[in-house]
Amino acid sequence: MNRTWKKSLTVAVLSVSLIMTASPAAILAAGPETALSTGIAGPYRLTALISADVKSVTSERIKDTTRIGAVVRLYNEAGKITRVPDYELRVKTAAGVEYTLQPSAANAKSIQPKEKIDLSYMLTLDGDATALTDLSWVDVDEYVYPKKETAVLTVPVANIVWGGSDSALTGAEIKQWGEPFKLSVQSEALQYAPVTLVNEKTPQGPVTVITFIAENTGDRTETVPDFRVDGKSDTRSYPGQRAEKDVQLKPGEKKYIHYGILTENNAVLNSLNILTPESFVQLGANNTPTVDSYTVGRLNIALPKKDTIDIGSLPPYKLRDRIVFDPLNKLIDKETSISLVDLSMNESESSGYNTIIAKFLVNNTGERPVPLPAFQTELTNAEGYRYTGTRQNTAVQQLAPKLSYIINYSFAVPSTEKGDNLLMKLQDNQTVAPYNIPIGGFKTAVVEQKSEDENTLSFYPYNVKLNLWAMNIQGTATGTFSYKLKLDVDITTVDDVVADPSSANMKIELHDTMGRMIASETLPFTGMNKLISGSQYVVFQNLRTDQMEWPLTLKIYESIQTPTGEAKRLVKTLKQ
């Protein structure tokens, strides 16, 4: 797999309840000399003190060979150290052929009191092997002639043999989307359920990001073990990569874990395979160990037909209300309040598209400074087209207590977009960067800002009351001229906020009788040469004409700089 993809994922929603697993059957009390061949689930009696269970059996085709592997789990029920019985482990095929598996060099020789251990076995055959049917422990006495072989325990395994990543899982191993499950071979205390699916385009190719919620139902802290999630199409499987490492859960705690599955163009995933890791250690020349790592499929999860964000279930939004976020998200501090205060359609510097500007008010309700959250935004229109928001550059990195900050997001949209039926998604693009995980969403629409007083202009977070204006022409001895605008305004702040210089500016354009723009000036609300309350003059010098034009039309815009250029919203038109 592409190294860049691996690196980017390791850098790289809504709660669901969990529960599921079948409890193991009671230990069968068969004696060590009795060979069991029933299909009852383990553990099975292996000796008077040790019971056994089959953890996994694989028969996987690798190039021109077949790798047969088995992992068994032994339980020491005694109150003292017990030696692992010196039995051979054999598999039988449907054709009646029997193979003896080789033990891993890492297998334990004894079991501590009340302990359980895993023992790994493997054999590689040239060519193909028929279906496996049984796994047997055999006691071989080589000190008599001919040697004596006694079948101690035989377990039917035809229904649990894993044939590799492209093989199919059936029966009880099939789960529906959202259905909780346990991986009992790893932990009885941890439960999982898939909760969101998001498809994204990346430079490496299409990626499906799957979010699981993990819950610790036990009474002690648990570490989420390593397991793999592969995506399956009709023709092949695609390995997934987990974003989080060393996830620990306290009793009753829930956390998200995320997997990214890199696929091919036009590939359609219809299910997920959940696989757990196994390993086999073989000693080579000079007793040099070689580790053969592989995975075993445990269950299959059917995928929904599309992204799991249900637009119909999201609530309509009222401007300035506090946005509700996923309570398990890691990006938005609980003492940080975020609300959308303005969503406007703006003209763009270049023709052919418009720009929607979303202004978010971020407020620190706590008693200590908190980081300014760097969330991502996405707008989806009624036809399903998605537009990613571009966040303005901000100088402030932390929010002081009881203060608010304005953050602008710009969306380049077609000029045909009306903006009357939109879905706003807020996303976490930090936890599993570079992928976006939804943490909140609502229905909204572009709002035309109107004031009860027609002379009060809105440039959130500023209101500008226009008391008086007058336009004059200034000439010089050399024959040049300029336009001079006298303004008398009152400026007030809507909220107690910290506004970045790029949050909003007032732009005044002069248009002639033909509707052509002949001059403009941009007046900031902060910094040098800012617009202030009271009387002041604005001089238009960079004219696009050498002829005096009269009368003039003045167009006042809210101007915001975006990465794609200036976006402006017409606030008021004045005519001489």
Side-chain angles (χ1 to χ4, degrees):
M1 181 177 287
N2 187 297
R3 291 184 179 179
T4 304
W5 154 247
K6 285 186 176 181
K7 181 178 180 182
S8 64
L9 187 55
T10 49
V11 183
V13 218
L14 303 172
S15 299
V16 168
S17 61
L18 309 169
I19 186 167
M20 185 311 252
T21 194
S23 58
I27 297 176
L28 300 179
E33 298 298 323
T34 303
L36 302 180
S37 58
T38 63
I40 301 175
Y44 303 94
R45 180 66 62 189
L46 185 62
T47 71
L49 301 177
I50 297 175
S51 59
D53 203 353
V54 179
K55 185 182 177 186
S56 66
V57 179
T58 63
S59 179
E60 188 173 0
R61 184 76 174 175
I62 302 176
K63 295 183 179 179
D64 296 328
T65 64
T66 299
R67 179 178 64 190
I68 299 175
V71 179
V72 298
R73 181 166 285 176
L74 302 186
Y75 305 81
N76 179 12
E77 299 168 3
K80 61 181 179 179
I81 296 178
T82 303
R83 188 173 180 273
V84 174
D86 191 19
Y87 298 150
E88 288 185 356
L89 192 68
R90 299 179 181 179
V91 292
K92 187 182 237 182
T93 70
V97 180
E98 193 172 67
Y99 297 103
T100 300
L101 303 180
Q102 301 302 312
S104 169
N107 283 356
K109 304 300 181 184
S110 60
I111 317 174
Q112 295 293 327
K114 306 300 180 181
E115 185 189 23
K116 60 183 178 182
I117 62 170
D118 291 346
L119 304 179
S120 181
Y121 298 82
M122 186 173 286
L123 179 66
T124 300
L125 303 174
D126 290 333
D128 202 357
T130 56
L132 305 182
T133 59
D134 299 290
L135 187 70
S136 301
W137 282 263
V138 178
D139 184 16
V140 180
D141 185 355
E142 297 182 346
Y143 295 99
V144 298
Y145 184 81
K147 65 181 180 180
K148 182 181 178 182
E149 297 184 353
T150 303
V152 177
L153 175 65
T154 298
V155 178
V157 296
N159 292 331
I160 66 169
V161 177
W162 172 246
S165 59
D166 291 330
S167 62
L169 288 163
T170 58
E173 297 156 320
I174 301 296
K175 302 295 178 185
Q176 297 304 310
W177 178 260
E179 185 178 355
F181 63 90
K182 281 186 178 179
L183 297 174
S184 299
V185 294
Q186 294 183 327
S187 172
E188 288 284 357
L190 296 177
Q191 300 181 113
Y192 312 93
V195 288
T196 62
L197 178 153
V198 177
N199 293 303
E200 294 197 358
K201 297 288 187 179
T202 74
Q204 289 76 35
V207 174
T208 298
V209 181
I210 307 291
T211 302
F212 291 85
I213 188 170
E215 180 183 10
N216 181 4
T217 63
D219 55 7
R220 63 180 182 179
T221 300
E222 297 276 349
T223 299
V224 176
D226 182 27
F227 63 89
R228 203 173 84 191
V229 177
D230 287 1
K232 279 187 65 66
S233 68
D234 291 334
T235 57
R236 59 164 293 184
S237 64
Y238 300 88
Q241 296 286 327
R242 192 161 105 187
E244 296 88 351
K245 306 297 180 185
D246 301 323
V247 177
Q248 289 192 335
L249 295 174
K250 297 178 181 179
E253 187 178 13
K254 299 177 182 180
K255 286 184 180 179
Y256 291 128
I257 53 176
H258 304 86
Y259 286 83
I261 303 172
L262 179 66
T263 65
E264 300 169 313
N265 288 325
N266 301 319
V268 178
L269 300 183
N270 48 44
S271 67
L272 303 174
N273 274 345
I274 309 297
L275 307 96
T276 59
E278 303 288 5
S279 64
F280 178 85
V281 179
Q282 184 173 4
L283 295 180
N286 301 321
N287 288 327
T288 302
T290 302
V291 180
D292 189 352
S293 299
Y294 60 100
T295 54
V296 178
R298 297 298 178 182
L299 55 91
N300 179 269
I301 300 173
L303 287 180
K305 298 300 182 182
K306 57 183 180 179
D307 288 11
T308 56
I309 304 302
D310 182 6
I311 297 178
S313 67
L314 293 175
Y317 181 76
K318 181 180 178 182
L319 284 181
R320 304 180 69 82
D321 281 355
R322 182 169 183 168
I323 297 171
V324 178
F325 290 98
D326 179 353
L328 294 186
N329 91 87
K330 299 179 181 179
L331 186 67
I332 309 299
D333 186 274
K334 292 182 179 180
E335 294 183 335
T336 300
S337 169
I338 300 178
S339 56
L340 180 65
V341 293
D342 188 27
L343 189 67
S344 61
M345 185 74 74
N346 297 258
E347 301 175 24
S348 296
E349 194 172 32
S350 301
S351 59
Y353 71 97
N354 288 333
T355 301
I356 293 177
I357 300 293
K359 295 184 179 182
F360 289 90
L361 182 68
V362 184
N363 176 248
N364 179 7
T365 64
E367 298 177 351
R368 298 181 179 181
V370 296
L372 186 67
F375 57 91
Q376 181 56 277
T377 57
E378 182 182 271
L379 277 179
T380 304
N381 69 4
E383 288 75 35
Y385 295 104
R386 296 156 56 176
Y387 306 101
T388 299
T390 301
R391 179 187 174 102
Q392 75 176 80
N393 293 324
T394 56
V396 174
Q397 300 301 318
Q398 282 196 325
L399 281 176
K402 308 304 179 183
L403 279 183
S404 301
Y405 196 89
I406 291 293
I407 305 177
N408 292 341
Y409 287 80
S410 60
F411 305 82
V413 299
S415 55
T416 55
E417 177 61 52
K418 303 300 182 183
D420 54 358
N421 189 6
L422 300 173
L423 168 67
M424 175 73 76
K425 284 195 291 186
L426 285 86
Q427 302 166 319
D428 174 1
N429 63 346
Q430 306 293 313
T431 303
V432 288
Y435 308 113
N436 300 312
I437 303 300
I439 56 176
F442 49 84
K443 296 174 183 175
T444 187
V446 166
V447 177
E448 183 179 351
Q449 294 287 357
K450 292 184 178 180
S451 174
E452 295 181 359
D453 181 0
E454 64 177 14
N455 290 322
T456 298
L457 316 180
S458 176
F459 303 83
Y460 190 89
Y462 307 101
N463 279 341
V464 178
K465 184 177 182 182
L466 186 59
N467 299 318
L468 179 145
W469 68 277
M471 177 68 71
N472 294 310
I473 298 178
Q474 286 184 323
T476 66
T478 59
T480 60
F481 67 96
S482 61
Y483 294 98
K484 187 176 182 180
L485 172 65
K486 181 180 180 180
L487 283 178
D488 186 88
V489 296
D490 290 326
I491 301 175
T492 56
T493 303
V494 177
D495 293 302
D496 187 15
V497 301
V498 178
D500 192 275
S502 61
S503 294
N505 297 298
M506 177 192 284
K507 183 174 185 178
I508 304 176
E509 293 183 356
L510 304 184
H511 291 254
D512 63 14
T513 54
M514 301 291 292
R516 296 172 297 187
M517 194 268 287
I518 60 173
S520 68
E521 287 292 333
T522 299
L523 309 175
F525 290 100
T526 61
M528 297 292 294
N529 301 318
K530 67 178 182 180
L531 190 67
I532 60 174
S533 294
S535 181
Q536 57 215 287
Y537 289 94
V538 180
V539 179
F540 299 84
Q541 293 180 326
N542 297 319
L543 305 181
R544 296 187 177 184
T545 178
D546 57 1
Q547 296 183 357
M548 292 185 184
E549 301 287 346
W550 204 267
L552 295 174
T553 298
L554 283 69
K555 291 187 177 182
I556 301 177
Y557 293 89
E558 178 185 40
S559 171
I560 295 175
Q561 289 298 323
T562 75
T564 57
E566 180 189 43
K568 58 183 184 178
R569 175 178 62 89
L570 182 62
V571 177
K572 192 172 183 62
T573 300
L574 304 173
K575 294 186 177 182
Q576 288 183 310

